[in-house]
Amino acid sequence: MQTPGHAVLNLALLGAGSHSALLLPILAGAVAPDVPIVVLYLREHYLRGLPDERIWSESYQQPFWLNLIHGVHSVPLTLLGVLVSLGAGSSALAAFFASALLHALEDLPVHAQDAHRHFLPLSQYRFISPLSYWDSRYHGRTVALVEAVLVLLAAVWLWPRFPLLGRAALVAVEGWYAFTYWKTFLR
Ligand SMILES: [Zn+2]
């Protein structure tokens, strides 16, 4: 799934309106697993000037980045984070890890050739889904549309619970989805 979609979906699924003290941890946990990908992309794109194709086929495939990215998308590790946080009595940390766990579970069904090793460190297994949120060889066009609709529904649910700034962010996410769909499938 696309990173901004995780943020909107997780806030809705974990029930965080703007009044919730857990809004920030849920938001942080929703985007955290994709932070290494963003850092890698920005470094290779802006500092090294590599074209997107080489970033995904070469830089992204280096063991260091793959291990890091797959490690932060781990179901057992994020689940352990939830349990340890609950044991320590921190609802904020538990919300953070629960949101990161949800992120991993949201990615699991929509990654095909780029599947993460979601069960590290227990197993190296990669579930190669028949569906992809971007790859048209794996129904990407349809899956991306379904993802966009789900995120839109989550944004509609959040709308009355958010102040003006939050609503502006929701509009920005919807704009992002419209733009990337056009850029990927319609252009
Ligand atoms: Zn992800």
Side-chain angles (χ1 to χ4, degrees):
M1 260 187 74
Q2 298 194 50
T3 313
H6 286 294
V8 172
L9 206 55
N10 286 12
L11 284 172
L13 289 174
L14 297 172
S18 65
H19 56 279
S20 170
L22 299 177
L23 183 133
L24 282 179
I26 291 171
L27 199 57
V31 299
D34 286 348
V35 166
I37 302 173
V38 175
V39 170
L40 169 71
Y41 181 83
L42 293 178
R43 192 188 76 158
E44 302 297 89
H45 184 79
Y46 290 105
L47 293 184
R48 298 189 58 205
L50 288 184
D52 287 6
E53 202 184 290
R54 281 191 62 196
I55 296 175
W56 302 125
S57 66
E58 294 172 27
S59 318
Y60 185 87
Q61 307 301 332
Q62 290 163 20
F64 169 79
W65 289 104
L66 275 188
N67 288 334
L68 179 63
I69 291 160
H70 292 178
V72 290
H73 280 83
S74 161
V75 169
L77 288 179
T78 48
L79 185 60
L80 183 67
V82 173
L83 297 176
V84 169
S85 307
L86 288 176
S90 170
S91 52
L93 262 185
F96 171 86
F97 282 112
S99 188
L101 171 60
L102 199 52
H103 177 129
L105 296 176
E106 288 159 355
D107 274 350
L108 184 73
V110 292
H111 280 255
Q113 290 303 325
D114 58 345
H116 304 313
R117 285 169 292 164
H118 284 294
F119 303 96
L120 285 177
L122 304 178
S123 161
Q124 302 286 324
Y125 174 72
R126 290 165 78 233
F127 169 65
I128 310 294
S129 176
L131 305 174
S132 165
Y133 73 105
W134 63 271
D135 192 336
S136 47
R137 293 171 299 171
Y138 300 87
H139 310 284
R141 195 182 261 261
T142 309
V143 175
L145 196 60
V146 171
E147 177 181 327
V149 169
L150 288 176
V151 172
L152 180 63
L153 290 175
V156 167
W157 186 84
L158 288 170
W159 187 267
R161 294 165 173 82
F162 269 21
L164 200 59
L165 189 65
R167 289 177 181 181
L170 291 176
V171 171
V173 170
E174 294 311 316
W176 161 270
Y177 265 93
F179 172 72
T180 51
Y181 195 86
W182 168 79
K183 192 175 154 214
T184 314
F185 301 109
L186 304 178
R187 195 164 51 143

